[in-house]
Amino acid sequence: MGSGLEALGMVEGDALDEEGKAAAWRVMAGCHPATGARLVTSRTSARAHEKAQLTTARLVEAIERAAEEQGVTAAGLFDGKPKQLRVLQAQQRNVNRFGEAHRMQIVTLYKLARAAGLVLADVYDEEERTTAWEHRSSRPVPALPGAQTIGRAAPLAELCVRGLACQR
């Protein structure tokens, strides 16, 4: 594990009680073991938890419908917002390619809807919005058989060869 555990107030080799196990899971999910605060912050560093994601197609359709009602193109709703326009265009491609199966993190959907002048409450029902919002900071922990005993960061290629990763 290296010396990083000491910075988090943990010692390698210590026996873990239930609280210690929960703390270890939080560390593996990229969070501080005691506070749960997100330590891994880049968008590409860890995928969003499945429960933090919603179907993208519904928001893309709502944006296109709002644009039609206003007599503009979908891009017209993002006038002066080039970053959000690029996100919309990427999501339109993803929806065309994957349909309803394409999902996105609720925080990104919120920003996209806000930039288009929409409210997520008009697109998604309250229960799914609430669930996604509650899990917005959660990240899945990879379930690798034997991961508890590896003790070092095994290269992905080695895990693939051993059949512990790369299973789709």
Side-chain angles (χ1 to χ4, degrees), residues 53-131:
Q53 299 175 9
L54 298 172
T55 302
T56 308
R58 294 210 307 239
L59 180 59
V60 169
E61 291 166 1
I63 289 171
E64 291 170 349
R65 199 169 35 254
E68 187 178 317
E69 289 171 1
Q70 294 180 29
V72 298
T73 64
L77 292 178
F78 295 89
D79 208 19
K81 302 169 187 165
K83 180 180 178 185
Q84 291 300 327
L85 176 58
R86 286 191 304 273
V87 172
L88 172 67
Q89 291 167 337
Q91 297 318 311
Q92 287 173 319
R93 289 189 300 272
N94 286 329
V95 168
N96 285 335
R97 184 173 178 194
F98 301 110
E100 289 285 326
H102 181 65
R103 298 170 62 79
M104 228 165 84
Q105 185 178 19
I106 189 166
V107 174
T108 307
L109 292 170
Y110 170 78
K111 291 175 184 178
L112 188 61
R114 185 180 62 188
L118 300 176
V119 178
L120 285 184
D122 296 337
V123 181
Y124 301 98
D125 67 47
E126 183 177 355
E127 183 179 341
E128 62 186 340
R129 278 191 340 270
T130 302
T131 300

Side-chain angles (χ1 to χ4, degrees), residues 143-145 156 159-168:
L144 298 176
L156 183 59
L159 293 174
C160 288
V161 169
R162 292 173 48 199
L164 299 178
C166 301
Q167 298 170 356
R168 297 192 189 272

